[in-house]
């Protein structure tokens, strides 16, 4: 898996080393465990997925974080990216909107003695109590850059968020440039994420 990540352009040694240390199979449902080290997203229940390793790597690398930085993750899912960020020495705050997924993720993370702070709620509004963050990573795709998340970044901090339609999104790397919430945006290539559902995301569907 690591060779594949470096072949695809991931060069931050700290990201590669964290992904080498965090055992992805612990976050994958038992029937799918022999696919744990494929470069693929896998279902984790509730219509959600554990992200593809390349996606976790590119998003984590794009945050440009250093040890001790405070990072907010929106979309805990399986907990895998939470564990990767913690293995890099970040102080991790993570929000998941589906309570049963957060419960399962916590079981795995706590079993591995990972340090993090979590809650179940709508992450598009952020977590003002712990702001400002050095980095924010959104692991689901929304229709626009969530305004509250820009407000909760420190100046110079980065927000990595997939934005686009429900069918595909571009990874936006947003760098906050002023206390007035001005920002610069860099676009990475197209991805397909599960929908970001919430106040500054997509509405919840009835089906
Ligand atoms: N990083 C996760 C992993 O490695 O397993 C990725 C999980 S999945 C691709 C994205 C997650 O975002 C899903 O679990 C979904 O329920 C969650 N999600 C969607 N909208 C959300 C919101 N507004 N707030 C918090 N979580 C949300």
């Amino acid at each position: 898996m690591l060779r594949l990540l470096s072949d695809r352009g991931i060069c931050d040694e700290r990201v590669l080393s964290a992904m080498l240390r965090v055992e992805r199979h612990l976050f994958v449902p038992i029937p799918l465990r022999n696919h744990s080290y494929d470069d693929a997203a896998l279902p984790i229940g509730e219509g959600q997925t554990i992200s593809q390793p390349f996606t976790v790597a590119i998003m984590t690398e794009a945050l440009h974080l250093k040890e001790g930085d405070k990072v907010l993750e929106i979309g805990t899912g399986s907990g895998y990216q939470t564990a990767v960020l913690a293995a890099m020495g970040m102080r991790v705050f993570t929000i998941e909107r589906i309570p049963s997924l957060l419960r399962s993720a916590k079981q795995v993370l706590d079993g591995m003695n990972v340090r993090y702070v979590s809650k179940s709620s709508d992450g598009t509004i952020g977590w003002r109590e712990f702001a400002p963050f050095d980095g924010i990573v959104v692991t689901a795709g929304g229709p626009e850059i969530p305004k509250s998340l820009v407000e909760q970044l420190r100046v110079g901090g980065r927000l990595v968020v997939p934005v686009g339609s429900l069918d595909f999104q571009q990874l936006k790397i947003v760098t906050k440039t002023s206390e007035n919430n001005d920002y610069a945006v860099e676009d990475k290539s197209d991805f397909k994420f599960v929908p970001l559902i919430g106040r500054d995301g997509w509405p919840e569907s009835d089906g």
Side-chain angles (χ1 to χ4, degrees):
M1 185 177 90
L2 285 193
R3 171 143 341 122
L4 192 140
L5 295 177
S6 12
D7 287 352
R8 291 195 67 182
I10 304 299
C11 49
D12 186 332
E13 289 297 334
R14 297 163 319 143
V15 175
L16 293 169
S17 150
M19 292 185 69
L20 181 65
R21 281 175 286 136
V22 177
E23 298 178 291
R24 189 172 186 253
H25 67 269
L26 298 176
F27 299 88
V28 171
I30 290 168
L32 297 173
R33 280 207 173 157
N34 50 1
H35 296 288
S36 301
Y37 297 95
D38 295 354
D39 191 27
L42 297 168
I44 55 170
E46 306 280 0
Q48 306 302 321
T49 55
I50 174 172
S51 304
Q52 181 184 354
F54 174 67
T55 308
V56 172
I58 197 169
M59 292 181 99
T60 305
E61 187 173 71
L63 286 166
H64 283 200
L65 291 173
K66 53 185 193 319
E67 206 172 323
D69 277 352
K70 205 159 58 158
V71 61
L72 175 65
E73 177 191 31
I74 310 302
T76 317
S78 69
Y80 176 64
Q81 190 154 9
T82 316
V84 169
L85 291 164
M88 292 174 68
M90 312 306 167
R91 287 178 290 153
V92 188
F93 298 80
T94 186
I95 306 178
E96 169 57 54
R97 68 176 275 277
I98 302 178
S100 62
L101 288 183
L102 185 59
R103 275 197 300 276
S104 309
K106 280 166 76 86
Q107 249 176 14
V108 181
L109 292 166
D110 295 348
M112 296 167 68
N113 291 321
V114 174
R115 293 185 64 183
Y116 64 97
V117 181
S118 66
K119 71 170 174 178
S120 187
S121 77
D122 174 10
T124 66
I125 58 178
W127 203 341
R128 204 162 289 280
E129 192 183 337
F130 293 109
F133 297 96
D134 300 295
I136 302 179
V137 60
V138 183
T139 70
E144 59 190 14
I145 295 169
K147 195 165 159 278
S148 304
L149 299 186
V150 176
E151 287 167 6
Q152 291 176 31
L153 268 184
R154 71 160 168 82
V155 174
R158 290 176 153 218
L159 161 67
V160 178
V161 55
V163 174
S165 67
L166 282 167
D167 293 328
F168 73 93
Q169 306 86 31
Q170 269 192 328
L171 200 56
K172 306 259 177 206
I173 300 166
V174 175
T175 306
K176 180 160 166 175
T177 54
S178 81
E179 290 292 357
N180 296 331
N181 299 311
D182 299 315
Y183 55 83
V185 186
E186 185 193 329
D187 285 339
K188 292 264 184 197
S189 50
D190 293 342
F191 288 85
K192 167 82 180 125
F193 284 80
V194 297
L196 178 71
I197 295 171
R199 191 195 69 184
D200 290 351
W202 298 103
E204 195 161 359
S205 77
D206 303 331

